[in-house]
Every structure is written in C-alpha cells, then in structure tokens.
Amino acid sequence: MVTKRRAGRKPEAYLPLPPATFHILLALADGELHGYAIMKGGTARSEGGVRLGPGTLYGALKRLLDAGLVDEGGERADPEHGDERRRYYRLTQLGLSVARAEARRLDAMVRAARRKKLVGERPA
Amino acid sequence: MSAERFYRLLLRAYPPEFRAEYGGEMVLLFRDQCRESDVRTVGFWARVLWDVARSAPALRVEAWRENTRTMEVIMKLAAMLTVLVGVLGVLNAGVEWGAAFTGTISGMHTLSLVLAVCASALLLTAGAAILLRRPQAARLALLASVVLFVAARLLHPWMSPFSLIVGIGLPFAFLIALYWPRKGNPSWGVTP
C-alpha cells in the first residue's frame, strides 16, 4: 500500500536527495523496473561509483514508497532474469517532479563549478 | 553453508516488518549478484557485509521511530499524570495557605502561594491540552507553569524539594518532548 501522506508537499522539500535515491529515480524515469534492473542501471550510470546492494536499494525504495515518490507496479517474471516473479516499481507524478527538481539543482551546481573553471577545463 | 543461506541469516539484522515485506526480493537480488560475481572472493563478501552494516541499523532506527502508537500511549499517560500533579499542586498550596493562616503570613509568602496555585492550574491545563491534542496551547501552559513555579520558589521557600522537582521537572520534561524535532523532512536514511 503506497502512503500518500506527503503528496501535497513541494518537490523542493525533498531535496537534496542522496545519490542512491537519485539513481533509483533516474532509473525509474525510463519506466517500470524491478530491483535488479534498478541496481544494474545505477551501477552502470555512475560508472561503478554507486553500488546499490540489496539492503541499500530496498531501504531506499521503502522510503520512496512511504513518501509517495514511487509506486508498486505489480509482480511478474522477467524473461531475461529467470522464472522468479519480481516486484516492479514505477515513478509517481510527485517522484518525477522531485527527480526534475534534483536534476535542476545539480545542473545549477555544475554550471557554477564550470564558471569557476572547476570542471570542463584542465586546472592550471 | 551456501552463500544464500548465509545471506538469509544476515537478513535477520533488518527489522521483522521490513524483512517480511522485502526479504524475498532481497534474496532474489542477492542470487542475481551471486550469478554475476565470484562468491569466493573477499571483495564480494566485504560488499555484502558493508551493505548490511550500513542499511540495517538505519532501518531499525526508522522502524523504532515509526512505532508512534507506543509513544502516543506514553504521552497520554504522562498527560494524565500532569493533570493529577496539577490537582495535587493546587491542593498542596491550599493546605499551605490554611496552615499559614494560623500564624502571621507575609506578603511574599501569600504571593508565592498564589503563584504556585496558578502554576498548578496551568499544569492541569497543559495536561488537558495534551490529551486534547493541542500541542501549542500545552507548550505555552507548560512554559508559563515552569516560570511561575520558579518565581514562587524564589519569593518564598515553602515548597518541599519533592514538590520542586515535580513542579519544575515534569513540565520541563514535557516541554522537551513537545519540542523534540519531528520528521518534517523525509528521512532518506543512509547516504552512500
């Protein structure tokens, strides 16, 4: 059962997001995924920088479900990963708004760092 | 012992409700990891243990915090106790007043008794406010009660040490409980 108790809050109220949480939202922006696909997506996207173990992943998913940012999308088998039935997760409208707000926040920070020539150019 | 059996043992570090909801999925994910990694390496088990050590305590704390029902019962009992202490405080000041009237009573003593009665009445009001779920009114009443108790003690030392401890300590403890930071922002737990 998804808790919607915080659904009335502004997306900015959830920021900043921990990297693992943002990676989960990023992965789910592509559509419904099960835990293993979320984990693989996070590791690949961060080039190994973020490793989501089962405890970290499902702990974060539980918090996202409680906050109403993620919803459960039912259980079914994934032919690519065996016959076991897996629980799928998807972004809610609020989750999408929070992911966008976090992306904007990070983008502004990167632009500020670029202006200071901390990224994009080799330091002198 | 197989890797999966050992991982199932590790899952006991998580809160029972969390395990019931996500334990099966976590084992599936662990199985996927085992298929893709060499389970005989130290690095693999170090990552598994680090994941459990980092996430389980945070989830335990969250589960404990979510157990608000217990806290509500404690708050209700404490509020009833506050009402009782308020009534006893009024009676105590009344008895002291009666005893003082048999001799001469100074202006300071009278004022101190009046303040103690007001402080006890405020304590009673605070207890009722907590029971009626009016935290703002309860905070104000408790704060005023502490101030009046301290003022009454400074004006005239008629109160017993026990009365002082209860009269000042109880509203003070309640003020801490009512001002204790609530989870305004969502807690995201561990930040890997």
Side-chain angles (χ1 to χ4, degrees), chain A residues 17-98:
Chain A
L17 298 178
T21 306
F22 187 49
H23 274 290
I24 293 171
L25 295 184
L26 277 182
L28 294 176
D30 296 332
E32 276 192 11
L33 291 174
H34 54 73
Y36 187 57
I38 295 171
M39 187 187 82
K40 294 288 285 179
T43 309
R45 205 173 301 107
S46 66
E47 295 168 343
V50 171
R51 286 178 181 273
L52 294 169
T56 309
L57 175 69
Y58 283 100
L61 276 171
K62 179 192 175 294
R63 292 177 197 112
L64 288 166
L65 282 160
D66 286 346
L69 272 62
V70 164
D71 203 355
E72 282 182 15
E75 281 186 20
R76 57 185 180 275
D78 179 356
E80 283 183 31
H81 296 102
D83 300 329
E84 298 109 334
R85 290 173 68 79
R86 291 165 190 267
R87 205 178 294 169
Y88 280 70
Y89 299 91
R90 61 180 173 225
L91 271 189
T92 61
Q93 197 54 49
L94 177 64
L96 187 61
S97 303
V98 171

Side-chain angles (χ1 to χ4, degrees), chain B residues 171-189:
Chain B
F172 202 72
F174 247 126
L175 274 173
I176 292 171
L178 287 172
Y179 275 110
W180 199 259
R182 295 283 183 269
K183 282 199 291 178
N185 287 317
S187 162
W188 296 119

Side-chain angles (χ1 to χ4, degrees), chain B:
Chain B
M1 184 186 284
S2 73
E4 190 177 314
R5 278 183 69 185
F6 181 66
Y7 188 68
R8 282 181 189 276
L9 275 178
L10 286 178
L11 284 184
R12 291 181 180 274
Y14 293 93
E17 304 83 20
F18 180 80
R19 224 163 49 221
E21 184 67 29
Y22 301 102
E25 292 284 312
M26 288 168 78
V27 170
L28 265 183
L29 201 63
F30 178 75
R31 226 178 266 165
D32 291 323
Q33 284 182 314
C34 289
R35 268 199 291 268
E36 292 210 338
S37 312
D38 186 357
V39 295
R40 290 166 301 181
T41 61
V42 175
F44 174 82
W45 285 106
R47 279 197 299 277
V48 170
L49 290 173
W50 175 237
D51 177 55
V52 174
R54 196 174 51 181
S55 56
L59 287 161
R60 284 262 176 201
V61 170
E62 282 171 37
W64 180 75
R65 276 187 186 166
E66 279 170 16
N67 197 2
T68 50
R69 172 116 185 87
T70 313
M71 279 305 288
E72 272 181 25
V73 171
I74 291 170
M75 284 296 271
K76 268 186 188 172
L77 287 172
M80 285 176 198
L81 181 72
T82 309
V83 171
L84 190 68
V85 168
V87 172
L88 287 175
V90 173
L91 290 175
N92 186 28
V95 168
E96 174 70 14
W97 206 320
F101 263 118
T102 57
T104 51
I105 183 165
S106 68
M108 285 295 189
H109 195 173
T110 310
L111 186 58
S112 174
L113 287 170
V114 171
L115 288 180
V117 169
C118 292
S120 300
L122 281 166
L123 210 54
L124 202 151
T125 310
I130 292 165
L131 287 172
L132 295 169
R133 293 171 186 272
R134 303 271 165 82
Q136 191 57 35
R139 280 183 202 127
L140 284 172
L142 287 167
L143 199 63
S145 172
V146 171
V147 171
L148 291 186
F149 261 118
V150 171
R153 170 65 185 83
L154 291 174
L155 284 171
H156 197 275
W158 63 272
M159 276 184 265
S160 68
F162 178 74
S163 302
L164 275 175
I165 290 168
V166 174
I168 297 169
L170 189 75
F172 202 72
F174 247 126
L175 274 173
I176 292 171
L178 287 172
Y179 275 110
W180 199 259
R182 295 283 183 269
K183 282 199 291 178
N185 287 317
S187 162
W188 296 119
V190 289
T191 54

